[in-house]
C-alpha cells in the first residue's frame, strides 16, 4: 500500500508539473497573438469650416461699449459683411462696415482668417488697414460641427483677460458671431459683441 501511495504521489506531482508547463505555454501563445492596432481617431480637417461665410451678407451688430463693468447699455449697428477666399486657398478675408445712425457711430474693419493644416486650427486676425497692423495675438481654435470656438489671452486695463469668439453656421442664409471677455480665467464670460448675418 505504501508503494502504491508513493507511485500515486509521483504521478500526481508529474501531472501538476505537466499542467503548469502547459498553462505557461498556453499563456505565452495567447500573449504572442498579434493584436490589431487601434487606429487613432482621425482629426477633423477644418480647411473648409468657414466656407459657409463666403459671399456677401447683411450685418446687424449689437455692441457693449463699457466692458467688464456690468453695463447693459448696448449700441446697435447695421451694414455689410463680405467674405472672400484669398488666392484660391482656404484663407479668407472679411470686409466689414456698419453704422449706428442714432449714435452717429461708424465701424470699418477687416478680418483675416488663416488655416493651419498641421494643427487643424484657424487663426483669426483683426486687420487695421489704415494703420497697416494686425491684431496680435490672434484668436485660435476650430469648429465642432456647426460651432466654432476661438480663444486668446490679452491685457485689458492692466489685467489679463481671456477673449473668446464663437461662430455659428446656422443655415445658408444665417450666421452669428459673438465675442466674449472673461476676467476670471474662463469661469464666466461677458458677451460684448453680437453680429447676426443674413442674406
Amino acid at each position: 500500500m505504501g508503494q502504491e501511495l508513493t507511485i500515486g504521489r509521483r504521478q500526481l506531482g508529474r501531472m501538476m508539473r505537466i499542467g503548469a508547463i502547459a498553462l505557461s505555454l498556453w499563456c505565452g501563445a495567447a500573449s504572442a497573438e498579434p493584436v490589431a492596432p487601434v487606429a487613432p481617431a482621425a482629426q477633423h480637417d477644418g480647411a473648409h469650416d468657414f466656407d459657409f461665410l463666403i459671399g456677401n451678407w447683411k450685418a446687424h451688430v449689437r455692441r457693449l461699449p463699457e466692458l467688464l463693468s456690468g453695463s447693459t447699455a448696448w449700441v446697435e449697428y447695421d451694414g455689410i459683411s463680405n467674405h472672400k477666399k484669398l488666392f484660391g486657398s482656404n484663407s479668407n478675408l472679411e470686409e466689414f462696415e456698419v453704422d449706428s445712425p442714432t449714435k452717429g457711430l461708424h465701424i470699418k474693419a477687416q478680418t483675416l482668417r488663416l488655416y493651419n493644416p498641421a494643427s487643424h486650427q484657424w487663426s483669426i486676425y483683426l486687420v487695421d488697414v489704415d494703420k497697416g497692423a494686425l491684431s496680435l495675438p490672434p484668436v485660435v481654435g476650430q469648429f465642432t460641427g456647426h460651432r466654432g470656438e476661438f480663444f486668446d489671452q490679452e491685457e485689458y486695463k492692466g489685467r489679463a483677460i481671456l477673449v473668446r469668439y464663437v461662430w455659428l453656421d446656422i443655415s445658408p442664409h444665417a450666421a452669428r458671431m459673438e465675442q466674449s471677455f472673461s476676467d476670471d480665467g474662463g469661469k464666466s464670460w461677458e458677451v460684448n459683441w453680437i453680429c447676426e448675418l443674413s442674406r
Side-chain angles (χ1 to χ4, degrees), residues 180-198:
S180 303
F181 286 0
S182 174
D183 60 358
D184 59 9
K187 294 176 185 175
S188 62
W189 294 91
E190 178 187 81
V191 177
N192 55 53
W193 176 280
I194 300 170
C195 179
E196 295 175 305
L197 301 179
S198 61

Side-chain angles (χ1 to χ4, degrees), residues 149-165:
E149 293 194 358
F150 310 86
F151 298 88
D152 80 350
Q153 182 173 318
E154 299 178 10
E155 188 173 300
Y156 178 73
K157 292 188 175 179
R159 52 183 168 165
I161 64 164
L162 295 177
V163 177
R164 179 182 68 185
Y165 288 10

